[in-house]
Amino acid sequence: QVQLVESGGELVRAGGSLRLTCAASGRTSIGYAVAWFRQAPGKEREFVTSISWNGGSTYSADSVKDRFTISRDDAKNTEYLHMDSLKSEDTAVYYCGEGQWASTKEARAYDVWGQGTQVTVSS
């Protein structure tokens, strides 16, 4: 059974940077996509960015393009979300999810989720 654990969230000032980590355990095969979603209080979980099984394709929400970068290290079974130029509106709990297709931006398409990590951006 695959388990995902996010880490790296913390309080940061606007304009700052953070790197989130999604560490996987229990994977027995390759060929999966990974996405980052986020959820702010009182709002639905929203797509942030995703990466295909081989890292060849990435997709990002317009709100984070040119600021956030997703990457993966299959040797470590770990995915990363590097966030630059953080804004107060980026404040949310960030979740990583595993699924089949990186082009899918709906949370229901991802089968496995971590517990989330809190990112707070102060203005």
Side-chain angles (χ1 to χ4, degrees):
Q1 184 177 358
V2 177
Q3 291 186 323
L4 304 177
V5 178
E6 302 94 334
S7 61
E10 62 182 67
L11 173 64
V12 63
R13 289 190 176 183
S17 298
L18 275 179
R19 188 180 76 164
L20 305 184
T21 298
C22 174
S25 61
R27 281 178 176 158
T28 58
S29 63
I30 60 174
Y32 53 89
V34 172
W36 286 91
F37 283 72
R38 65 187 181 187
Q39 188 166 17
K43 295 188 177 181
E44 292 187 354
R45 190 170 297 193
E46 67 170 355
F47 172 81
V48 176
T49 186
S50 60
I51 188 166
S52 63
W53 69 275
N54 62 355
S57 298
T58 61
Y59 304 84
S60 296
D62 289 342
S63 59
V64 306
K65 277 181 181 176
D66 301 325
R67 297 191 299 123
F68 290 11
T69 302
I70 188 171
S71 61
R72 63 190 300 159
D73 184 340
D74 290 333
K76 296 182 179 179
N77 266 332
T78 302
E79 289 74 34
Y80 304 96
L81 177 62
H82 189 87
M83 306 184 291
D84 290 322
S85 303
L86 283 161
K87 305 175 182 179
S88 58
E89 51 262 45
D90 295 319
T91 295
V93 177
Y94 283 71
Y95 299 89
C96 62
E98 182 180 292
Q100 279 194 301
W101 307 110
S103 57
T104 302
K105 299 180 181 180
E106 295 186 11
R108 61 184 178 180
Y110 293 85
D111 306 312
V112 182
W113 293 93
Q115 83 293 344
T117 185
Q118 175 71 49
V119 173
T120 303
V121 184
S122 64
S123 56

